[in-house]
Amino acid sequence: MKIDVLSLFPEMFTGVFGSSILKKAAEKNVVEYNVVNFRDYADNKHQTVDDYPYGGGAGMVLKPQPIFDAVDHLTKSNEHTKPRVILLCPQGKVLTQKVSEELAQEQHLIFICGHYEGYDERIREHVVTDEISIGDYVLTGGELGAMVVIDSVVRLLPGVLGNEDSPILDSFSSGLLEHPQYTRPANFRGMTVPDVLTSGNHKNIDEWREKESILRTLQRRPDLLENYPLTDKHKQWINEWNKEHKDNK
């Protein structure tokens, strides 16, 4: 996968792309990162990339020309693929695991990180294919949002994680929150690991994990269960949990 990032502050990505899983992915040649300062594409001697909005108003707006030219250049250099051009924006669809899984199927992603009060609308209409938000809050720029999206996508690429089952078992990948996890020692300061996990009975372990995942989702993110295909067994676990906790109130 090729990932291009358009940013006025490319230095922000140095540590992120040079560390942890994102670094390993590049070392394995699974992904190639390219961070571009789109100020370099400005067509004026002062390399200005913003201007006052028509009609007045507070703040400055990113001009279309530098973004259009930068994306044109990046697209022409990779003519064999059609990139998804992603605008980090509070107005975009909220990032979910499903969105990350969809983007992980692409060969070329271009991220546009803006600043100031917004973008010239022609950027949205004629350059961008996707607008993504990482939450209902406002940041000073799109860089942090791009880092979050890229991290969530790259870890899903084949060969990036040591255990190929890891992304499949992640919270949200199945539509549920992940079950509790334990490691050694089995007894730590009097706090013990559930007996089923040390039993060696994998059928029972799988059922325990499935049940705990259902119940953890019920307690912490019940909204996720609204569209989840619950089985009769799942419904029984939920009814038992509701009855037990109703009786304990």
Side-chain angles (χ1 to χ4, degrees), residues 92-128:
K93 62 183 176 183
V94 177
L95 178 68
T96 64
Q97 187 68 15
K98 183 177 181 180
V99 172
S100 298
E101 290 169 354
E102 178 187 333
L103 293 176
Q105 303 303 312
E106 301 292 332
Q107 292 182 284
H108 187 193
L109 302 177
I110 298 177
F111 291 85
I112 302 175
C113 307
H115 278 261
Y116 313 115
E117 288 299 314
Y119 309 87
D120 185 290
E121 190 65 18
R122 288 165 290 190
I123 296 173
R124 300 179 193 273
E125 294 177 348
H126 300 286
V127 176
V128 171

Side-chain angles (χ1 to χ4, degrees), residues 226-244:
E226 294 176 3
N227 297 314
Y228 188 80
L230 294 170
T231 66
D232 290 340
K233 182 191 294 184
H234 296 157
K235 294 175 183 177
Q236 179 183 344
W237 291 337
I238 291 173
N239 289 334
E240 290 173 352
W241 188 90
N242 284 333
K243 184 178 185 300
E244 177 184 350

Side-chain angles (χ1 to χ4, degrees), residues 38-220:
F38 62 85
R39 191 181 297 279
D40 295 338
Y41 289 85
D43 63 358
N44 58 87
K45 65 178 182 179
H46 298 295
Q47 292 189 304
T48 304
V49 297
D50 61 318
D51 209 334
Y52 295 102
Y54 278 118
M60 305 290 279
V61 175
L62 281 178
K63 299 169 63 175
Q65 178 272 317
I67 299 295
F68 270 72
D69 285 1
V71 172
D72 283 347
H73 177 77
L74 295 173
T75 303
K76 289 177 181 178
S77 64
N78 293 274
E79 292 182 346
H80 59 288
T81 62
K82 184 176 181 180
R84 295 276 285 272
V85 182
I86 300 163
L87 185 70
L88 282 303
C89 174
Q91 300 178 27
K93 62 183 176 183
V94 177
L95 178 68
T96 64
Q97 187 68 15
K98 183 177 181 180
V99 172
S100 298
E101 290 169 354
E102 178 187 333
L103 293 176
Q105 303 303 312
E106 301 292 332
Q107 292 182 284
H108 187 193
L109 302 177
I110 298 177
F111 291 85
I112 302 175
C113 307
H115 278 261
Y116 313 115
E117 288 299 314
Y119 309 87
D120 185 290
E121 190 65 18
R122 288 165 290 190
I123 296 173
R124 300 179 193 273
E125 294 177 348
H126 300 286
V127 176
V128 171
T129 62
D130 302 83
E131 293 183 49
I132 295 179
S133 167
I134 62 169
D136 295 336
Y137 46 87
V138 179
L139 299 173
T140 56
E143 284 78 11
L144 294 177
M147 294 174 193
V148 170
V149 179
I150 292 169
D151 185 279
S152 72
V153 169
V154 170
R155 66 188 306 279
L156 296 174
L157 300 178
V160 172
L161 298 180
N163 186 338
E164 292 301 316
D165 291 333
S166 292
I168 299 173
L169 299 175
D170 284 338
S171 289
F172 303 113
S173 288
S174 66
L176 301 171
L177 299 185
E178 190 177 14
H179 55 76
Q181 298 273 21
Y182 296 87
T183 188
R184 300 175 185 177
N187 187 321
F188 176 69
R189 298 185 180 182
M191 297 174 283
T192 58
V193 173
D195 291 337
V196 64
L197 297 180
T198 59
S199 67
N201 188 319
H202 293 289
K203 180 179 179 180
N204 289 347
I205 291 173
D206 289 342
E207 183 175 76
W208 179 88
R209 287 175 170 169
E210 182 182 9
K211 181 179 180 179
E212 290 297 316
S213 184
I214 289 287
L215 296 181
R216 175 158 287 191
T217 305
L218 174 68
Q219 297 168 57
R220 303 185 182 193

